[in-house]
Amino acid sequence: MKKFLALALVAAMVLCSMVAFSACNGGKKQVKVFEAYELTAESYAFAVDKENTALKEAANELLADLKESGELSNIINSFFDGSATFVYENPVSSVPTGADRENYLVVATNAYFPPFEYYEGNKLTGVDMKIASLLAAKLNKTLYIYDMEFDAVITSVDSGLADIGMAGMTVNEERLKTIDFTSEYYESAQVLITAADDTVFADCASADDIVAKLAAQDKTFIVGAQNGTTGYMYTAGDVDFGYDGFANLTAKGYNTGALAVLDLANGKINAVILDKQPAIMIARNSNGK
Ligand code: ARG
């Protein structure tokens, strides 16, 4: 009788762990990135206050040196292929203020954008974070990275809360009305992500094909993108930014690209539009690879 009870207990435990496992993973779909089909052409640069020409010049000088020495490509490649070892931890726990403020370079970012800025444990890393550390060293300042919603990066630079926005930020005319940009350091594009078993876009063979499919959907078709980004504007449309958007479908804004991909993997939305390299990395994480 005792033996039977023990066996029943083991069986129950095995069953429970199987249920728990399927609750975590069972519903989650694999996702795929249409990385060959670039929906836009964008360039990244850092955002500085229009008045802060000294900082803009220092950043441009650093970027020019990094480009000339080939170091910029090395940095970018090392974060793309995962060989980078750089991590950064803020020296103080809150945003520096008061008399000490000028000893700091305060960088505004949204650290949910691998490989440009993301967390490794509780430490920050990524292409922009590495360049931020080089800029702080060049200026002889202590680096403080201020992680905030992407929406807030430009206003925080404009208000002086942060000195520079380093957030995989796309240069465009509308943003230039509020802040200035350094020279460009990376070429990017928006791309589409769907569930791996999606059939809507399965026969697409070009960016134009994807655009045509997007334009053919109705309001029940939900496309996720990160709030305040060019990906969201491309999807929802933004007259000021010159994006027509897809008024036929439903655009859904998320705090981060990863949250949009999570909803996609859980079958809650139909597609995500995101910057190419972050799309590849976030999809890889979501797929557990
Ligand atoms: N390149 C896009 C834009 O400028 C997305 C940037 C998102 N960056 C981030 N750190 N979350 O709108």
Side-chain angles (χ1 to χ4, degrees), residues 89-149:
E89 190 167 17
N90 280 322
V92 291
S93 57
S94 57
V95 194
T97 52
D100 201 26
R101 173 66 176 83
E102 66 185 35
N103 299 324
Y104 282 84
L105 176 72
V106 178
V107 171
T109 196
N110 169 260
Y112 298 89
F113 200 65
F116 293 92
E117 40 268 337
Y118 58 101
Y119 283 95
E120 220 170 79
N122 58 355
K123 299 191 174 96
L124 291 150
T125 186
V127 173
D128 291 339
M129 305 297 94
K130 172 70 186 173
I131 299 175
S133 77
L134 296 175
L135 182 59
K138 180 182 170 74
L139 296 166
N140 237 320
K141 294 189 183 222
T142 303
L143 178 61
Y144 182 85
I145 296 172
Y146 191 169
D147 180 20
M148 59 182 74
E149 287 195 1

Side-chain angles (χ1 to χ4, degrees), residues 42 44 110 113 117 150 167-170 175 226 228-230 275:
E42 307 182 15
Y44 294 170
N110 169 260
F113 200 65
E117 40 268 337
F150 182 72
M169 190 174 280
T170 301
R175 287 175 175 161
Q226 187 181 16
T229 63
T230 47
D275 295 49

Side-chain angles (χ1 to χ4, degrees), residues 146-166:
Y146 191 169
D147 180 20
M148 59 182 74
E149 287 195 1
F150 182 72
D151 263 353
V153 172
I154 287 183
T155 41
S156 76
V157 171
D158 186 35
S159 72
L161 184 63
D163 300 310
I164 187 165
M166 303 179 83

Side-chain angles (χ1 to χ4, degrees), residues 20 25 51 74 101 125 141 157 181 220 233 262 274 285:
N25 297 289
E51 252 110 80
N74 291 342
R101 173 66 176 83
T125 186
K141 294 189 183 222
V157 171
F181 277 110
T220 63
M233 295 167 198
L262 183 63
L274 204 62
N285 287 343

